[in-house]
Amino acid sequence: MTNNLAFLGRDMAVDLGTANTLVYVRGRGIVLNEPSVVAMNASTGKIVAVGIEAKQMIGRTPSSITAVRPLKDGVIADFEITERMLRYFIQKIHRRRHFAKPRIIVAVPSGITSVEHRAVKEAGYQAGARRVNIIEEPMAAAIGAGLPVHEPTGNMVVDVGGGTTEVAVIAMGGIVTSQSVRVGGDELDQSIMAFVKKEYSLMIGERTAEEIKVAIGSAFPAGGEELHAEIRGRDLVSGLPKTVVMSAADVRQAIEEPVTAIVDAVRTTLDKCPPELSGDVMDRGVAVTGGGALLDGLDGRLRHETGMPIHVAENALDSVAVGSGTCVENYERLSQVLVPERRR
């Protein structure tokens, strides 16, 4: 009977990210990877679209429809919409099973407050979970990247997400020292928008800024020819559409400040690391995960600034979801890495 119930409410792990939400279901792996965006009808309050469809609507909707990103800087900014988005994703996976009550493990940034902690749990319960456990993102990223977190050796992980960058040194199944800065992919996009506005008097949207970052963004100059990209936006002087050409060097200059903040977080964590573990990190190197790990030259920049061996995880984008999913698969064995229940 218990096994049947467990199957009805298949346990799942949710990487509730600022940019994307990934859902891992026990026995099936990652079954959903969609942008954390909800499009709502302002007059009726009904959800028009969630995920990929809703993301395409950002900046392109009539006044009656608004496309909202309910998570900001890795935490819940709009509680009600987050809960509805979670419920939508759970029901999308458990089709026709409205009585499915899964156990859920949610990955959250390590620097969040107890109020934000409670909001995440509450959203999980409201969305129909039987039990909600929380795992800190750097721990999940380390497990997902295949680091031996239970051994008494130091492992360092840098998880550059959409809203936050998490840096942590992990040993013996726990976080020894960590640093969480609210700088991530979104901050890079905002910097590109501000730079283009200032240098070219051109107004561009978030999606265009993200496309520029992916196409020609880099954190460290690489040898060879610099890439260029055409950008279309609205000229702030004439008010008409206009196209300008931007080089990779311009993008590097635009994102210099947030990239420096990420590098500083890594240096601070290394500075706070106990000397025994510093030696281990020097031997094993630093694992970089998250969508930001795919920014060209970020590993080179970190290597240059810290002198440490840096390697980007193979599944950088999914490592938090895979790590949380590993905890779902081995719930009893890995329960010690979950955040303990806080006493009321």
Side-chain angles (χ1 to χ4, degrees), residues 14 41 43 63 126 132 146 148 175 215 242:
V14 181
N41 187 321
S43 47
S63 56
Q126 294 287 343
V132 182
I175 292 176
K242 176 177 147 185

Side-chain angles (χ1 to χ4, degrees), residues 208-232:
T208 308
E210 190 184 357
E211 282 161 14
I212 296 165
K213 177 184 73 181
V214 172
I216 62 169
S218 65
F220 202 61
E225 206 177 318
E226 288 277 330
L227 296 167
H228 290 77
E230 273 193 0
I231 320 166
R232 295 189 178 96

Side-chain angles (χ1 to χ4, degrees), residues 84-326:
R84 289 171 74 175
M85 180 177 81
L86 257 181
R87 180 174 296 167
Y88 172 87
F89 288 149
I90 290 174
Q91 287 179 359
K92 190 172 177 179
I93 293 159
H94 292 289
R95 285 193 193 90
R96 301 185 308 280
R97 295 204 200 121
H98 291 290
F99 54 93
K101 284 202 169 289
R103 269 192 307 199
I104 295 185
I105 293 179
V106 187
V108 299
S110 59
I112 70 171
T113 63
S114 54
V115 173
E116 290 165 342
H117 225 272
R118 220 164 28 245
V120 171
K121 287 198 128 173
E122 198 54 43
Y125 285 123
Q126 294 287 343
R130 176 170 91 244
R131 174 141 189 219
V132 182
N133 287 98
I134 288 200
I135 184 169
E136 292 181 324
E137 268 169 25
M139 177 60 86
I143 295 171
L147 301 180
V149 293
H150 288 292
E151 291 177 14
T153 49
N155 297 283
M156 187 164 174
V157 65
V158 179
D159 178 43
V160 188
T164 56
T165 294
E166 311 278 324
V167 189
V169 176
I170 295 167
M172 297 292 298
I175 292 176
V176 180
T177 176
S178 69
Q179 179 90 356
S180 177
V181 287
R182 298 200 169 183
V183 174
D186 287 357
E187 199 79 21
L188 300 178
D189 298 344
Q190 295 295 333
S191 299
I192 292 170
M193 286 165 70
F195 181 85
V196 171
K197 187 176 178 181
K198 187 163 135 257
E199 292 293 315
Y200 301 106
S201 300
L202 192 72
M203 198 76 168
I204 59 170
E206 277 176 38
R207 284 190 60 198
T208 308
E210 190 184 357
E211 282 161 14
I212 296 165
K213 177 184 73 181
V214 172
I216 62 169
S218 65
F220 202 61
E225 206 177 318
E226 288 277 330
L227 296 167
H228 290 77
E230 273 193 0
I231 320 166
R232 295 189 178 96
R234 191 179 83 232
D235 189 338
L236 288 169
V237 180
S238 67
L240 299 171
K242 176 177 147 185
T243 306
V244 297
V245 175
M246 196 172 178
S247 72
D250 289 342
V251 180
R252 220 172 17 254
Q253 188 184 337
I255 63 175
E256 179 57 34
E257 204 175 309
V259 168
T260 305
I262 293 169
V263 173
D264 287 348
V266 175
R267 294 173 81 144
T268 309
T269 310
L270 283 167
D271 184 36
K272 293 194 294 188
C273 180
E276 293 290 341
L277 295 178
S278 291
D280 293 341
V281 173
M282 193 80 214
D283 289 342
R284 309 180 75 103
V286 178
V288 187
T289 68
L294 306 178
L295 178 68
D296 209 31
L298 183 65
D299 51 344
R301 174 74 183 266
L302 287 170
R303 203 174 291 124
H304 174 73
E305 299 263 356
T306 62
M308 291 284 188
I310 308 280
H311 48 266
V312 176
E314 278 176 32
N315 55 346
L317 270 173
D318 315 337
S319 49
V320 172
V322 170
S324 313
T326 308

